Amino acid sequence: MSDQTPSQASPGNIILILGDQLSPDLPSLKQGNPERDRVLMAEVADEACYVPHHKKKLAFVFAAMRHFADELRENGWSVTYVRLEDSDNSGSLPTELDRMLSETPDCSVLMTEPAEYRLRTALTSWAEQREIDLTLLEDSRFIATHAEFQEWAKGRKQLRMEYFYREMRRKTGLLMQGDEPEGGQWNFDAENRKPAQDDMFMPGPFEVEPNAITKEVLALVADRFSENFGTLEPFWFATTRADALRALDHFVDRALASFGDYQDAMLEGRPFLYHSVLAQYINAGLLNPLEVCRRVERAYYDGDAPLNAVEGYIRQIIGWREYVRGIYWLRMPGYTKQNFLDASRELPDFYWTGETDMACMAAAIGQTRDEAYAHHIQRLMVTGNFAMLAGVDPHQVHEWYLAVYADAYEWVEAPNVIGMSQFADGGLLGSKPYAASGNYINKMSNHCATCAYDVKKKTGPKACPFNSLYWDFLHRNKEKLRGNPRLGQPYSTWGRMSDERQQEYLDSAATFLKRL
């Protein structure tokens, strides 16, 4: 097996393409030759079932794979496509490769590296055991190579996204004027924290009517995965590159200008606000992250979107997305098992049902169930914040996020959950736990107005649970967190409370947690 890019692919390659590699400029396709190589794509139970994926995610991936296979055939490639319902489907990618190699035993296997450690390990182990010539090409769709991130991280006492992001700006030239950032500063996040009002125009994401291929997949998922989490229909995701590009244009033309101001806002019954809802297309390969950023950048220079919106969006992709990928490969294996705060509570059942009296949690989980989507603040400051405050086992939280979102792949999801959301890596990824009381949710949403709990009450059965859980979290983790410089003020506030007031918070939290 080789990780090196060969000068010329060996004759008679089998090019294995994964469900998140649906890109015409995929390195293995660029290295291959349609006249001599054969493409293998397969829907297999191992990948469909390693977590209980949301029905919409399964439908999106399978439909996008089938459309992509047809596009490859139209472009002259010989494609072997194994459907999940095929009677001779062996159930795993290694055994499907075995089956194809039995027909063409002299072939080598060429592929772009898997984005997930689990799958890379399975395929490289298979190749070593079977003594198969497997060549893995580095995925050029990411901006930072593995070596570049490792070099950036080497010797640093702390890894912080902001400094890595600046390197990515310099490398890409996005929003740069020579060596200086556009507008004189790197980050305009302080301007991106406005609460939205319900009477504002919000365009919603681009919707696609399912065609015959997608309808066939919807029927398959409804039949085979009826017990999985989530609502399957209505299904409106783009499943081709052409439609994903239309979704990108739709966002830039209709929503980008307001994205920055309201990207942290939450509104009852408004799941999308001004968000692009493009992450599933980028992560599956239908859109290239750099082309998305350049399209967004052009809107700024054309005068169609303000700098705070454009910079904020680009930062999410070339900053945060690239950063978490670097963290993932730097610390795997073992990263998903980290548990710095020794949290051990079982994930509450309402994460799967949405049946809770907490309005913010019901809204975030309900739209996750219906859309396989929630935006970053809902994931971080609502469902993630609650799980951390309640002391839920971070590995269970990780597996939930991996299962329920259409854009979730372990390389991007795990660092966001283990590091950012749950602080289970002890501060490797982020500088502090993102813990907050009900006041933050009340400031950024309208959920509290209709909630069964009172956000203004601090303790007691009618008080917002986030309020007492916040102080309980700080108290029970004081030995590990008190020295964090970004938590000095909250611990100082806690220390000034009377013993009686502290005990009221702890008792109120304990009463609530017993009901979980």
Side-chain angles (χ1 to χ4, degrees):
M1 188 202 74
S2 172
D3 286 304
Q4 306 301 314
T5 301
S7 58
Q8 183 178 10
S10 302
N13 287 305
I14 295 172
I15 300 177
L16 177 63
I17 295 179
L18 306 176
D20 59 351
Q21 297 181 340
L22 310 181
S23 307
D25 60 349
L26 194 69
S28 49
L29 290 173
K30 294 174 72 174
Q31 187 69 51
N33 185 335
E35 294 182 1
R36 66 167 183 244
D37 299 332
R38 296 170 60 192
V39 170
L40 171 63
M41 299 179 68
E43 304 164 4
V44 293
D46 275 5
E47 299 307 305
C49 302
Y50 72 93
V51 293
H53 296 290
H54 195 295
K55 295 186 186 78
K56 275 191 168 76
K57 180 182 181 180
L58 290 168
F60 164 64
V61 174
F62 289 163
M65 287 175 66
R66 294 185 185 193
H67 283 104
F68 187 68
D70 284 348
E71 291 169 10
L72 289 177
R73 293 186 184 105
E74 291 172 3
N75 290 323
W77 288 94
S78 173
V79 180
T80 297
Y81 193 96
V82 182
R83 297 184 174 213
L84 191 71
E85 66 269 33
D86 290 347
S87 59
D88 54 354
N89 187 322
S90 64
S92 77
L93 292 173
T95 53
E96 284 304 316
L97 282 165
D98 278 333
R99 193 150 68 99
M100 195 163 178
L101 283 166
S102 69
E103 301 170 2
T104 52
D106 295 331
C107 283
S108 300
V109 178
L110 175 67
M111 69 178 300
T112 301
E113 60 179 346
E116 294 190 354
Y117 182 87
R118 168 192 61 84
L119 189 51
R120 178 177 176 133
T121 300
L123 289 168
T124 54
S125 297
W126 162 82
E128 290 169 2
Q129 293 169 5
R130 294 273 281 105
E131 297 183 346
I132 300 297
D133 182 12
L134 169 65
T135 298
L136 298 181
L137 307 180
E138 186 148 16
D139 195 338
S140 61
R141 299 173 301 168
F142 290 94
I143 296 161
T145 67
H146 297 307
E148 284 173 336
F149 189 86
Q150 291 165 4
E151 181 63 26
W152 174 82
K154 186 168 61 178
R156 291 178 182 264
K157 293 182 179 179
Q158 291 183 322
L159 303 182
R160 293 294 173 257
M161 188 277 290
E162 181 64 28
Y163 301 111
F164 173 73
Y165 166 56
R166 295 178 187 183
E167 294 302 313
M168 294 297 97
R169 288 273 294 275
R170 293 185 181 104
K171 180 176 181 178
T172 61
L174 287 162
L175 294 178
M176 296 294 293
Q177 293 294 332
D179 294 330
E180 297 300 317
E182 188 70 57
Q185 62 191 67
W186 295 98
N187 186 319
F188 290 84
D189 205 33
E191 299 178 26
N192 295 343
R193 297 168 184 165
K194 297 178 183 177
Q197 302 300 317
D198 195 45
D199 59 354
M200 304 171 85
F201 171 73
M202 298 171 197
F206 183 75
E207 297 185 2
V208 179
E209 185 70 24
N211 63 10
I213 292 175
T214 302
K215 287 178 180 178
E216 189 175 34
V217 168
L218 291 172
L220 168 69
V221 172
D223 178 53
R224 293 284 294 270
F225 300 95
S226 60
E227 299 301 315
N228 279 42
F229 177 78
T231 302
L232 181 58
E233 297 190 67
F235 184 88
W236 50 264
F237 290 163
T239 55
T240 67
R241 174 167 167 77
D243 280 338
L245 285 168
R246 293 186 184 99
L248 170 59
D249 286 340
H250 176 90
F251 164 65
V252 172
D253 293 341
R254 302 192 183 193
L256 174 61
S258 296
F259 165 78
D261 289 348
Y262 305 110
Q263 66 173 287
D264 288 3
M266 297 172 283
L267 284 179
E268 197 78 23
R270 297 294 191 100
F272 305 113
L273 290 92
Y274 298 98
H275 290 270
S276 70
V277 200
L278 297 176
Q280 67 268 28
Y281 307 143
I282 298 171
N283 291 349
L286 297 181
L287 294 175
N288 184 290
L290 197 52
E291 79 178 333
V292 172
C293 290
R294 296 212 184 282
R295 176 72 177 86
V296 168
E297 180 193 44
R298 191 168 80 242
Y300 168 69
Y301 288 118
D302 287 347
D304 296 328
L307 184 55
N308 69 306
V310 170
E311 185 279 320
Y313 192 81
I314 287 174
R315 178 164 22 95
Q316 288 190 356
I317 296 179
I318 70 167
W320 192 252
R321 183 176 186 268
E322 293 282 330
Y323 178 68
V324 298
R325 186 221 187 201
I327 293 286
Y328 176 79
W329 283 104
L330 192 67
R331 290 304 175 99
M332 286 295 283
Y335 187 77
T336 61
K337 299 294 186 181
Q338 293 199 44
N339 192 354
F340 174 72
L341 298 176
D342 298 318
S344 59
R345 188 176 302 278
E346 293 290 314
L347 185 76
D349 288 344
F350 62 70
Y351 273 76
W352 297 106
T353 66
E355 296 174 1
T356 170
D357 289 336
M358 291 177 285
C360 59
M361 291 288 286
I365 296 169
Q367 76 171 65
T368 297
R369 176 196 62 226
D370 294 341
E371 306 291 354
Y373 169 82
H375 71 67
H376 63 284
I377 293 299
Q378 293 172 302
R379 301 189 201 195
L380 176 64
M381 301 307 299
V382 180
T383 52
N385 182 27
F386 180 87
M388 183 176 67
L389 296 183
V392 177
D393 179 345
H395 187 70
Q396 292 188 28
V397 182
H398 149 65
E399 290 197 324
W400 182 79
Y401 278 88
L402 186 58
V404 302
Y405 291 113
D407 59 9
Y409 298 88
E410 191 180 76
W411 67 267
V412 66
E413 170 276 324
N416 272 297
V417 173
I418 298 297
M420 184 72 166
S421 167
Q422 301 304 296
F423 204 69
D425 67 3
L428 171 71
L429 183 144
S431 59
K432 69 165 187 173
Y434 277 81
S437 68
N439 183 58
Y440 175 86
I441 296 169
N442 189 38
K443 177 183 176 183
M444 297 309 302
S445 79
N446 63 357
H447 295 312
C448 299
T450 58
C451 188
Y453 297 101
D454 188 344
V455 70
K456 295 180 181 179
K457 290 185 176 181
K458 306 302 182 183
T459 60
K462 293 296 184 181
C464 170
F466 282 85
N467 291 337
S468 60
L469 290 177
Y470 173 77
W471 292 112
D472 183 70
F473 167 79
L474 291 177
H475 174 74
R476 72 173 183 268
N477 292 297
K478 61 182 181 294
E479 297 305 319
K480 293 184 177 181
L481 297 179
R482 191 190 296 273
N484 187 305
R486 297 190 66 185
L487 293 178
Q489 183 175 348
Y491 275 112
S492 177
T493 301
W494 177 249
R496 292 195 300 271
M497 292 184 193
S498 67
D499 292 345
E500 292 79 7
R501 188 57 174 155
Q502 287 185 357
Q503 195 59 50
E504 287 178 8
Y505 276 116
L506 299 180
D507 289 346
S508 189
T511 299
F512 177 82
L513 289 172
K514 282 181 182 178
R515 298 203 301 270
L516 289 182

